Amino acid sequence: MKYQGLNQHQVEESRAKHGVNVLTPPEKESLFSQFIGKFKDPIIRILLIALALSIGVALYQYFTGQEGLSVLFEPAGILVAILLATCIGFAFEVSANKKFDILNQVNDDETVKVVRGGNVTMVERRDIVVGDIVIIETGDEIPADGELLESFAMQVNESDLTGEPMARKTTDEKEFNPEATYPSNWVMRGSKIIDGHGVMKVERVGDATEWGKVYKGSQIENNIKTPLNHQLDKLGVVITYTSYAIAAIIIIARVLMYFITIDRIYDGVEWISFAKYALNTLMIAVTIIVVAVPEGLPMSVTLSLALSMRRMLSTNNLVRKMHACETMGATTVICTDKTGTLTQNQMSVNDIMSYALPKKTLGDDYVSNLFKEGISVNTSAFLDMTDSEKAKVIGNPTEGALLLWLKEHNVNFMTYREGAKLLQQVPFSTKYKFMATVVDSPVFNKLMFYVKGAPEIILQHCNKIETGFGCVEIEQYRHAIEEQLYAYQGKAMRTLAFAYKEANPEEQSFDPKTDNLVAENLIFMGVVAIADPIRPDVADAVASCMDAGIDVKIVTGDTPGTAIEIGRQLGLWKETDQKDFNHISGKDFEALSDEEAKRRIPLIKIMSRARPMDKERLVRLQQASGEVIAVTGDGTNDAPALKAAQVGLSMGDGTTVAKEASDITILDNSFRSIARAVMWGRSLYLNIQRFILFQMTINVAACLVVMFGALLGTEMVLTVTQMLWVNLVMDTFAAMALASLPPSQFVMKEKPRSRNAHILSKPMIWSIFTVGLLFVLVMFGFIQYFKHAEVDYLFEDFSWQTYIQSVLNFDLQSGLTTYELTLTFTIFVFLQFWNLFNAKAFHTGATAFRGLFTSFGGFHISLIIILVGQFLIVNFGGEMFSVEPLKWYDWLACFIGTSPVLIFGEIIRLFITDK
């Protein structure tokens, strides 16, 4: 035998030295670590501080006998808020990862042909070692990196590594392609042989292969903070310092009030009394800090993300990492792979130029039958029809495109291939660039000679052309054919010419020594233009992203011409764009310094011949310039960039490595799903803003009520348990109501928000403080009214004259009855209830009633739960919530009396827009 290969001893030595042919899997984060990671949220951290303070105050009050066990409700409620927020997010991500693991299973048990000890044997891919001689054939997946020792007409699909779906491989140095990403005599792990066969010597295995290097690079931890986390950090700082400031004001003001009272000025200070007063003041300050913290915010943000996660799955976006839902909305640049993402990754016939087929369709005429039989018998590819909806090409993709074209015309190629008797065949070779077949044709009842190949080769051997009305001299058509070929080449299409003649057994068609074509007087049939077409919905989806202010860049391992043509078809590459400025190759990009690259990047629309690390560097440099990057890809070569980006989007039929590195998997492989993910992300962020607007209004109002009460020496009109109900239960369902709002298409007409923007916009801040202050004035007015008037039934006893007089005459001594405290609590809840509608209408420029009556959904259910919950607490909360049942007409009075919150909001929206 020509090759002896390794013996068993050499195999063991090689394995010990170079390792096994298995990629080292990433270390899985334990479930406990995933859960603990949820506590890194900035608002959760603030809640933990509030919990510690609350526990301290509660324990002091309990052990000093000031309060019973009910004092523990406050810390218990905060703890529940923390656990709910963390557990919900944890549960949804674990569920998504289980779905992903099923989708991303790997099999390393496939066998390959290896020469060992002078014998050909079958060895599992994992057992291949450096130095092995491997026989590779059409359809095989290359098991490791190696050098070709032999090759015959070999074409390799390297799209997973380079984006090149059909790379020619050869051992002849004269035919080496200097522009190829990898050497022409080198084959890479994970690539597939689509045509030809050969023998390789393994040089690298496992993690040392290019595939392994990319896989390892994809595991580098990405510590870039998401835009939402960055903004919540800022919000956390605002909440923390604001609550501390209010607490400090209360402490200072109450201490000053204690010392400047008239009786203490004359009688002196009783320090024991002051100590008790100071301790009480400190507890009020702690209460302010606890009230200022929006306990429901983390859970509400988590709920919003979790609901979006689930709903995005219904639109073919499998979200593995919860933050990715919202981050898509902040994306400023999408770097997209070409093959399999923008294109279908399946070659197909784009056009046909044949004077014999003016309508470019096949019928039952003489010329149509020539094409049917000529393509069927003069190809070596097959179609796998296991999936009745989509045929899968087995073999050469270009030949597969021809067979798919026949299938579109309801032609079964196997009928012609099996019906014709094969007499002679010369397979395609990169050297001679043609394939020829001689058959005994049952269609024409004669010997037929068919040839296809490079147009410049085929035309040299043709003297006539088939027109459909007979054969004529080709010379008068030659110029037109060449012009059309130039047009096809300008669009980066591959072209195949077809010719035929009646075979003469006595006439020599091939050189017996070289198999080169020597037949003359062929009849030219036509030229077929073949390309990997863009997906049907991609152009509109790319346009939608560009309209949304997102910069789209094509980053591919394919040739410049093909990449630019795809960009042109998508509307990304304009007539005014210049190749030297708006395009760059991977090698040229690598040669640039970081500063030079940063200056060039804004102009670059397309990067061709990009290698994995070129893509990853492009992502990181843009991030350093403040961009939020989303990367789409389906190949192993995309994995480092997918991992480095704020959001990595892999295709459902992409490689294991690509999917492992991504945050979202697009199950339908559609770029339109990516555009929908952007819309979901922006709508989600808007819903989070709406909830923050809603809850911060509550917290500002509650803080001011507690602060004024502390300064005026009145009792707590809103108890801790009541505030927990508002902050935890009511706000949770308010968050669900806002999160259930459908995504808004208008957000795709806006520009991406700045990464440094605060989540609290100016309109939000204005609304929070003005509405919060108005709520405080209303509450303060009712508190004073209840102190001046004996209120048994608000509906019957209310008097505007008494209300105004009460507001103007402070009463710091009188207390409130339980019924009056219940009315105060209910009025506060209903003020927030109506304000929820204002939050719903935020940033829409439309009425809060838009879409409210078209369908019954989550928003309506949440409203009902809030009303029912308030009714149950008032009627059955008793001592725990410091309430007693209200009369039905007082319910009606509170409900209708607070509705001007929505009415005034609607009036304001008629004249002032918050968009």
Side-chain angles (χ1 to χ4, degrees), residues 256-429:
L256 289 175
M257 287 170 58
Y258 182 88
F259 282 106
I260 64 175
T261 51
I262 298 298
D263 56 340
R264 290 190 179 88
I265 292 175
Y266 290 100
D267 300 337
V269 176
E270 295 182 6
W271 292 106
I272 295 177
S273 172
F274 173 73
K276 291 181 179 179
Y277 181 85
L279 185 60
N280 184 50
T281 298
L282 183 62
M283 286 191 292
I284 292 173
V286 170
T287 302
I288 278 287
I289 293 173
V290 173
V291 169
V293 176
E295 289 92 344
L297 180 57
M299 182 168 53
S300 302
V301 170
T302 302
L303 271 175
S304 297
L305 291 170
L307 287 173
S308 294
M309 218 172 150
R310 176 165 291 177
R311 293 167 73 186
M312 285 175 72
L313 181 59
S314 66
T315 60
N316 296 305
N317 289 275
L318 173 57
V319 181
R320 294 180 59 213
K321 298 177 183 176
M322 196 175 288
H323 72 81
C325 297
E326 185 281 327
T327 307
M328 276 305 297
T331 297
T332 58
V333 179
I334 295 177
C335 295
T336 177
D337 180 40
K338 178 190 72 70
T339 308
T341 305
L342 300 177
T343 65
Q344 299 176 23
N345 199 16
Q346 185 172 71
M347 306 301 285
S348 65
V349 174
N350 184 276
D351 192 24
I352 180 169
M353 183 203 72
S354 174
Y355 293 98
L357 291 176
K359 294 184 179 179
K360 303 181 181 182
T361 57
L362 297 176
D364 197 30
D365 55 279
Y366 177 77
V367 175
S368 293
N369 287 330
L370 282 173
F371 272 102
K372 292 175 188 178
E373 185 176 69
I375 290 174
S376 298
V377 302
N378 196 32
T379 51
S380 57
F382 289 86
L383 294 181
D384 180 357
M385 300 301 298
T386 304
D387 185 348
S388 58
E389 294 184 2
K390 184 178 180 181
K392 182 180 179 181
V393 173
I394 299 176
N396 188 300
T398 302
E399 290 190 340
L402 299 174
L403 299 182
L404 289 170
W405 183 63
L406 292 182
K407 183 177 179 295
E408 289 174 8
H409 291 83
N410 300 312
V411 176
N412 185 344
F413 73 96
M414 288 301 295
T415 302
Y416 288 89
R417 188 178 292 180
E418 293 175 349
K421 183 179 179 180
L422 181 64
L423 301 177
Q424 190 178 10
Q425 187 172 74
V426 175
F428 182 88
S429 73

Side-chain angles (χ1 to χ4, degrees), residues 517-543:
L517 185 67
V518 295
E520 298 296 337
N521 302 322
L522 295 178
I523 302 171
F524 188 78
M525 295 166 58
V527 175
V528 168
I530 295 173
D532 182 8
I534 63 172
R535 295 180 182 273
D537 56 356
V538 166
D540 289 341
V542 169

Side-chain angles (χ1 to χ4, degrees), residues 411-474:
V411 176
N412 185 344
F413 73 96
M414 288 301 295
T415 302
Y416 288 89
R417 188 178 292 180
E418 293 175 349
K421 183 179 179 180
L422 181 64
L423 301 177
Q424 190 178 10
Q425 187 172 74
V426 175
F428 182 88
S429 73
T430 55
K431 184 174 184 179
Y432 299 120
K433 299 182 181 179
F434 77 91
M435 178 178 181
T437 302
V438 179
V439 295
D440 187 353
S441 169
V443 178
F444 301 103
N445 295 315
K446 62 181 75 172
L447 299 183
M448 297 293 289
F449 177 84
Y450 294 105
V451 61
K452 75 173 190 296
E456 66 273 16
I457 301 297
I458 304 301
L459 282 169
Q460 290 175 12
H461 298 271
C462 294
N463 66 340
K464 292 185 178 181
I465 184 170
E466 185 67 64
T467 64
F469 302 101
C471 297
V472 299
E473 295 297 322
I474 196 172

Side-chain angles (χ1 to χ4, degrees), residues 48-304:
L48 289 171
I49 295 171
L51 175 63
L53 293 173
S54 180
I55 289 173
V57 172
L59 290 176
Y60 172 81
Q61 290 179 326
Y62 175 73
F63 286 112
T64 57
Q66 297 180 32
E67 299 285 348
L69 284 173
S70 61
V71 75
L72 298 175
F73 286 140
E74 178 183 347
I78 297 174
L79 179 62
V80 168
I82 293 171
L83 292 177
L84 281 176
T86 51
C87 289
I88 289 172
F90 172 71
F92 272 84
E93 286 196 358
V94 168
S95 174
N97 283 328
K98 284 181 178 178
K99 293 186 180 75
F100 175 80
D101 288 340
I102 294 172
L103 182 71
N104 210 29
Q105 291 174 344
V106 184
N107 182 13
D108 272 327
D109 300 330
E110 295 178 3
T111 57
V112 294
K113 293 177 183 176
V114 179
V115 179
R116 285 185 179 173
N119 296 311
V120 177
T121 183
M122 301 299 292
V123 174
E124 288 186 359
R125 186 166 61 178
R126 66 171 69 244
D127 293 329
I128 296 294
V129 298
V130 172
D132 265 332
I133 305 298
V134 180
I135 299 170
I136 46 180
E137 300 172 332
T138 301
D140 288 349
E141 181 177 309
I142 298 169
D145 289 3
E147 183 180 4
L148 285 174
L149 303 178
E150 296 180 16
S151 69
F152 179 78
M154 184 179 289
Q155 297 184 81
V156 178
N157 183 348
E158 288 186 343
S159 59
D160 288 339
L161 269 176
T162 67
E164 176 59 63
M166 201 162 69
R168 292 177 176 175
K169 298 294 180 179
T170 179
T171 55
D172 186 348
E173 294 185 10
K174 296 177 183 178
E175 297 182 12
F176 284 7
N177 180 2
E179 294 185 357
T181 308
Y182 296 108
S184 297
N185 64 334
W186 197 268
V187 287
M188 321 300 296
R189 175 190 172 116
S191 303
K192 291 184 178 179
I193 309 295
I194 55 177
D195 202 7
H197 55 83
V199 178
M200 65 175 283
K201 181 181 179 182
V202 174
E203 299 290 348
R204 290 198 281 261
V205 295
D207 293 338
T209 62
E210 287 301 308
W211 187 287
K213 291 175 184 176
V214 173
Y215 186 53
K216 189 175 181 180
S218 71
Q219 297 171 30
I220 297 172
E221 193 60 37
N222 181 358
N223 294 317
I224 299 292
K225 266 192 174 181
T226 67
L228 182 60
N229 278 342
H230 185 68
Q231 291 175 307
L232 288 178
D233 279 343
K234 286 185 175 181
L235 179 61
V237 170
V238 170
I239 292 171
T240 300
Y241 284 112
T242 301
S243 62
Y244 289 168
I246 295 175
I249 290 171
I250 288 176
I251 292 172
I252 294 169
R254 281 179 60 88
V255 168
L256 289 175
M257 287 170 58
Y258 182 88
F259 282 106
I260 64 175
T261 51
I262 298 298
D263 56 340
R264 290 190 179 88
I265 292 175
Y266 290 100
D267 300 337
V269 176
E270 295 182 6
W271 292 106
I272 295 177
S273 172
F274 173 73
K276 291 181 179 179
Y277 181 85
L279 185 60
N280 184 50
T281 298
L282 183 62
M283 286 191 292
I284 292 173
V286 170
T287 302
I288 278 287
I289 293 173
V290 173
V291 169
V293 176
E295 289 92 344
L297 180 57
M299 182 168 53
S300 302
V301 170
T302 302
L303 271 175
S304 297

